[in-house]
Amino acid sequence: SWRRIVSLCAASGVACPSMSASLCYFDYYRRADLPAKLVQAQRDFFGGHTYERIDRPGTFHYIWDEAHKDIGELSSRIAGNL
């Protein structure tokens, strides 16, 4: 199987980046809920974006540390930067 070939390549130290990436893409594509949590967290940390949760309604912003406390404050932004 496709998965077995990728795992055998990895166990043998043989690089197969295109097959491995294709298998990952296929696994993500066939899921009902795509795992984008890491990307959402990175966007929230670096740009003050908000994120949605699947366990409760609404949008959220996490205050990562004191340096990032004002990044997610929408009232401090001008209309063109929303």
Side-chain angles (χ1 to χ4, degrees):
S1 76
W2 188 0
R3 193 171 309 281
R4 180 157 167 72
I5 291 171
V6 171
S7 65
L8 286 173
C9 286
S12 302
V14 176
C16 60
S18 60
M19 289 185 70
S20 176
S22 297
L23 180 60
C24 287
Y25 175 79
F26 178 73
D27 287 341
Y28 287 150
Y29 185 76
R30 64 192 179 108
R31 291 180 56 135
D33 185 26
L34 294 177
K37 294 173 184 67
L38 176 62
V39 174
Q40 286 182 344
Q42 288 174 334
R43 289 181 64 209
D44 187 54
F45 178 80
F46 290 108
H49 299 273
T50 58
Y51 58 93
E52 295 180 5
R53 295 177 52 162
I54 59 173
D55 60 339
R56 58 176 92 151
T59 56
F60 300 89
H61 172 67
Y62 184 78
I63 299 174
W64 296 91
D65 60 15
E66 282 298 311
H68 290 87
K69 68 178 181 159
D70 295 329
I71 290 177
E73 182 60 41
L74 294 178
S75 63
S76 65
R77 300 184 191 179
I78 59 173
N81 291 336
L82 291 177

